[in-house]
Amino acid sequence: PLALLIVKAADPTMWTWLTGEPDSKARPADPTALADPLTVDVQPASAELEKVVPGLTDEDAEEREAAAEQFLALTDGTTELGREEMPAYWRLFGWAHHQSFAELNRRAAGNSVLNQFIQSPEEQRGKLFRLELNVRRVLEYDAPANSAGIQKVYEVWGWTTESKAWLYCVLTAHLPPGMPIGPDVYERVTFAGYFLKVQGYHAAGAGPKDKALAAPLLIGRLSWKATPVAKPAPDPPWLWWLGG
């Protein structure tokens, strides 16, 4: 899972490939190793109680300029996040951390389609989007120390009515209280957040040489209400049994 790579990234041996130092156990780069010793007390977000930390967002011109430079280090389609991608990754977490869901949702574009992320990711980076997601998988991870002050990362996989069988991966540090976590979730949420890149992933049972599938990766906040729903027929297994 994507966010699991964040935890692995805290291991210094993961980065010897960048320095040229020999290490027989070194592996390709993972997400999230660039970190600052800044931490805050992060509480789950909800309509009644939502933790918002004051700070700069994309509405600041210098923030946008700094982000645009960091976006140049992003590579679309990879199944792992590299160390060089972490500054942009944590910057978007910071922007979301400094705004409520209502603020993000108010500013977000709601008419997005999957192809605009897949075909022109460079044009979408750092922009705000709203997604109505049918969630099928929610995973929780501890985050290493980082410049955004994030303590938890929740990895949410789901699809929209428009994308159908094609998945989105959205990350948040603010899962609403009571929302189910696990590999088999049936919930509907509204997500508002920033597009980072196209993330590659492998479905369960994929071979080592199989081509990775593509999912837009966004970072932000989501809104969810606990309502009784009738679970329909199961989705295709590859839709939510994600490997890699």
Side-chain angles (χ1 to χ4, degrees):
L2 176 62
L4 179 59
L5 302 176
I6 297 172
V7 179
K8 292 182 180 179
D11 182 356
T13 61
M14 302 297 290
W15 310 117
T16 55
W17 68 283
L18 285 173
T19 62
E21 298 174 3
D23 185 346
S24 60
K25 296 183 180 179
R27 290 171 287 178
D30 299 295
T32 0
L34 282 190
D36 295 335
L38 172 63
T39 58
V40 296
D41 182 20
V42 178
Q43 300 296 327
S46 69
E48 296 77 21
L49 177 62
E50 188 172 14
K51 182 70 173 182
V52 178
V53 175
L56 297 175
T57 71
D58 59 304
E59 293 188 290
D60 180 84
E62 292 185 2
E63 277 288 304
R64 293 195 301 272
E65 291 177 5
E69 183 175 349
Q70 293 172 345
F71 291 157
L72 297 176
L74 297 174
T75 302
D76 293 295
T78 59
T79 57
E80 295 182 348
L81 289 170
R83 186 186 188 188
E84 70 282 359
E85 297 179 295
M86 291 304 97
Y89 177 94
W90 287 123
R91 185 177 294 277
L92 296 193
F93 261 108
W95 288 355
H97 198 41
H98 301 153
Q99 301 170 83
S100 67
F101 169 80
E103 291 173 307
L104 293 169
N105 191 49
R106 174 179 56 81
R107 299 173 51 219
N111 57 348
S112 58
V113 296
L114 183 78
N115 278 345
Q116 75 186 84
F117 300 111
I118 303 299
Q119 296 179 359
S120 57
E122 297 87 357
E123 298 178 11
Q124 316 305 328
R125 298 202 207 283
K127 293 182 180 179
L128 267 171
F129 295 93
R130 181 188 308 108
L131 301 171
E132 300 293 335
L133 283 178
N134 300 287
V135 175
R136 294 297 180 267
R137 186 179 181 92
V138 180
L139 302 177
E140 176 185 15
Y141 302 97
D142 293 327
N146 57 83
S147 58
I150 301 303
Q151 295 180 341
K152 292 281 188 180
V153 172
Y154 298 92
E155 179 183 309
V156 181
W157 291 84
W159 49 274
T160 67
T161 302
E162 183 275 330
S163 71
K164 301 186 186 303
W166 297 99
L167 293 171
Y168 285 84
C169 178
V170 301
L171 303 179
T172 184
H174 312 91
L175 199 70
M179 183 169 174
I181 298 175
D184 186 7
V185 173
Y186 182 76
E187 299 294 337
R188 185 167 177 84
V189 305
T190 300
F191 171 86
Y194 300 93
F195 174 72
L196 178 67
K197 61 175 286 186
V198 175
Q199 180 66 38
Y201 70 96
H202 292 289
K209 295 184 179 180
D210 289 351
K211 183 179 179 180
L213 302 174
L217 175 63
L218 297 92
I219 299 171
R221 293 180 184 252
L222 54 85
S223 174
W224 167 82
K225 291 183 179 179
T227 56
V229 292
K231 188 171 183 179
D235 299 313
W238 69 266
L239 188 64
W240 49 279
W241 281 106
L242 306 177

